[in-house]
Amino acid sequence: MDGTSNTVNGAANGEGLGVNNKQDLLTAIERAEVISSHLNEKLQLDDHESQLKWLQEHVLWGPNTEDITLTSNTNELGPRKLFYYGHLVKSKSGKHLFVFLFNDFLLLTESMCAWHDAQKKLFDARCHEPYLTQYRQPMLITDVQAFNSSSGVLGLDNHISFEYRLKKYTLKADGAAKRKSWMSALKHAISDYVEMVGKRERIVGCPDGRGLIKIEVLHAENVAILSDNKDASLLSPYVKITLGDQTLKTPGAKEGEGGEKPSWHYPGQLVFCDLEKETMWIALYIKRKFAPDEYVCAKEFPLTCLPASGGKVSKEQDFDLGDGQGTVKLKVLVSKFQS
């Protein structure tokens, strides 16, 4: 056996082989490593997707939560990823929670059975019934602030502390090592979100612009919104105006101000290079939290259709988006740069 083992090891090192044979062996080893790496990545992706599907089937969502499909894309970050998960305990009440950190939101759940039994069932394919219930509304990562340490307050090293929309949460992890992993994952998710969204929000203007369009997006009328059979007044539509590489985007309409006549009164400005040739797109979307925004309609308009205001007074103008989709009302002021 020793002789056979030495022979194999020698072959792997290229001993006793010709130059060509040695090179062929090294090439084969490199290819095998690449294939192995691809297989590992595929297995990780499959495992990740199965976890998302499992959670979708085993979590009971709250009645006031926007419909969430965990396997769908996020609103701004592409495919949804599960960064970290585990058992945490509320410091004051002692309530046991199972917390899931995705790349776009943080989900706090509680179990319908004893927590130690629930922990054993987590991602178990033999478990077919939902047994986790939503404990709080999902927390958008963009509004989560993780604190470096809570030990100075509590005198303990296994507590994590974070704030969401001015409300503080303190949870106890299963030991200092788990706490460290949770804090690292939280900060990683927050920094990734800021970096990705920051890249997308860069606006490139026209360097040799010849004029300025000052716009105030006022409101829309007769908007045909059909979405999930929910009350349209609870939806949050917004307008996106694009001119070349520039984008003007309103916030989503406030709750109760959506529906068929959403209101914004949002100001902005765009630079144009050639008023006679350029066009702008006016689009209407529904703002989503946990899925890509829902496209409603859009239409292209030549800049020549803008009111000739002489650079002094803003004028209101309706922009019909066509096919009975609705009309967007803008207040527009076009002015040319001085030579």
Side-chain angles (χ1 to χ4, degrees), residues 22-69:
K22 181 178 180 180
Q23 185 59 45
D24 290 343
L25 180 59
L26 293 175
T27 301
I29 292 173
E30 289 177 0
R31 290 177 178 173
E33 290 175 347
V34 170
I35 293 172
S36 175
S37 176
H38 288 168
L39 285 173
N40 287 333
E41 290 177 4
K42 179 66 167 59
L43 289 172
Q44 289 176 359
L45 287 173
D46 289 346
D47 184 52
H48 176 75
E49 186 174 357
S50 67
Q51 287 180 329
L52 294 179
K53 288 181 178 178
W54 190 96
L55 286 172
Q56 188 74 51
E57 296 171 356
H58 292 81
V59 174
L60 293 177
W61 303 94
N64 297 321
T65 301
E66 176 184 312
D67 291 341
I68 299 176
T69 302

Side-chain angles (χ1 to χ4, degrees), residues 101 106 139-150 160-170 182-183 185-191 193-194:
L101 174 62
L106 185 67
M139 302 177 182
L140 292 169
I141 284 297
T142 182
D143 295 330
V144 173
Q145 179 185 358
F147 299 135
N148 286 328
S149 175
S150 60
I160 66 174
S161 184
F162 63 91
E163 185 176 281
Y164 181 70
R165 296 182 177 175
L166 302 180
K167 184 175 181 179
K168 292 185 178 179
Y169 294 82
T170 302
W182 266 111
M183 294 305 297
L186 266 173
K187 292 176 181 177
H188 178 53
I190 293 169
S191 63
Y193 183 94
V194 171

Side-chain angles (χ1 to χ4, degrees), residues 50-338:
S50 67
Q51 287 180 329
L52 294 179
K53 288 181 178 178
W54 190 96
L55 286 172
Q56 188 74 51
E57 296 171 356
H58 292 81
V59 174
L60 293 177
W61 303 94
N64 297 321
T65 301
E66 176 184 312
D67 291 341
I68 299 176
T69 302
L70 293 177
T71 53
S72 73
N73 281 349
T74 64
N75 180 261
E76 295 180 289
L77 304 176
R80 180 166 286 110
K81 300 175 183 177
L82 178 60
F83 273 1
Y84 201 70
Y85 64 89
H87 167 251
L88 295 171
V89 181
K90 288 195 69 177
S91 296
K92 291 185 179 180
S93 66
K95 181 180 288 291
H96 293 268
L97 301 175
F98 289 93
V99 182
F100 303 89
L101 174 62
F102 301 93
N103 55 335
D104 61 329
F105 70 93
L106 185 67
L107 177 64
L108 275 61
T109 69
E110 55 183 328
S111 172
M112 293 186 283
C113 59
W115 73 268
H116 43 81
D117 291 334
Q119 198 164 25
K120 295 176 183 177
K121 293 181 180 180
L122 210 56
F123 299 117
D124 188 341
R126 296 169 296 180
C127 177
H128 301 293
E129 298 295 328
Y131 75 93
L132 296 174
T133 60
Q134 176 185 307
Y135 178 68
R136 287 285 185 269
Q137 287 289 321
M139 302 177 182
L140 292 169
I141 284 297
T142 182
D143 295 330
V144 173
Q145 179 185 358
F147 299 135
N148 286 328
S149 175
S150 60
S151 59
V153 178
L154 299 171
L156 297 170
D157 292 330
N158 57 345
H159 286 72
I160 66 174
S161 184
F162 63 91
E163 185 176 281
Y164 181 70
R165 296 182 177 175
L166 302 180
K167 184 175 181 179
K168 292 185 178 179
Y169 294 82
T170 302
L171 304 174
K172 180 181 177 183
D174 297 331
K178 285 287 186 181
R179 177 199 174 275
K180 184 177 180 181
S181 296
W182 266 111
M183 294 305 297
S184 176
L186 266 173
K187 292 176 181 177
H188 178 53
I190 293 169
S191 63
D192 273 12
Y193 183 94
V194 171
E195 181 180 357
M196 290 292 292
V197 174
K199 287 180 180 178
R200 292 194 177 123
E201 288 182 345
R202 288 181 299 177
I203 297 177
V204 181
C206 176
D208 56 345
R210 297 181 182 176
L212 189 68
I213 306 171
K214 292 184 178 180
I215 296 174
E216 183 179 357
V217 184
L218 300 176
H219 59 260
E221 296 178 350
N222 304 317
V223 177
I225 297 177
L226 299 174
S227 177
D228 304 330
N229 297 319
K230 292 186 176 180
D231 185 351
S233 66
L234 300 179
L235 299 177
S236 183
Y238 67 87
V239 171
K240 185 176 180 181
I241 302 176
T242 304
L243 174 59
D245 292 326
Q246 305 165 90
T247 299
L248 171 62
K249 178 181 173 183
T250 73
K254 296 179 181 178
E255 186 171 318
E257 296 180 0
E260 293 187 357
K261 192 174 180 179
S263 176
W264 300 281
H265 294 278
Y266 185 79
Q269 58 187 33
L270 301 168
V271 175
F272 66 85
C273 294
D274 192 330
L275 196 62
E276 300 297 323
K277 296 181 180 180
E278 290 183 273
T279 61
M280 68 177 183
W281 280 90
I282 300 179
L284 192 64
Y285 291 84
I286 303 298
K287 180 67 178 174
R288 297 296 188 191
K289 294 179 181 178
F290 309 106
D293 293 349
E294 180 182 340
Y295 168 82
V296 178
C297 56
K299 191 174 179 180
E300 187 178 24
F301 297 90
L303 296 188
T304 52
C305 77
L306 298 178
S309 57
K312 295 180 180 180
V313 181
S314 297
K315 294 186 178 181
E316 293 186 5
Q317 182 170 339
D318 291 336
F319 292 84
D320 186 358
L321 299 183
D323 298 327
Q325 294 294 333
T327 301
V328 173
K329 183 178 285 292
L330 306 180
K331 184 181 285 187
V332 181
L333 173 63
V334 179
S335 58
K336 293 186 177 182
F337 296 144
Q338 297 296 322

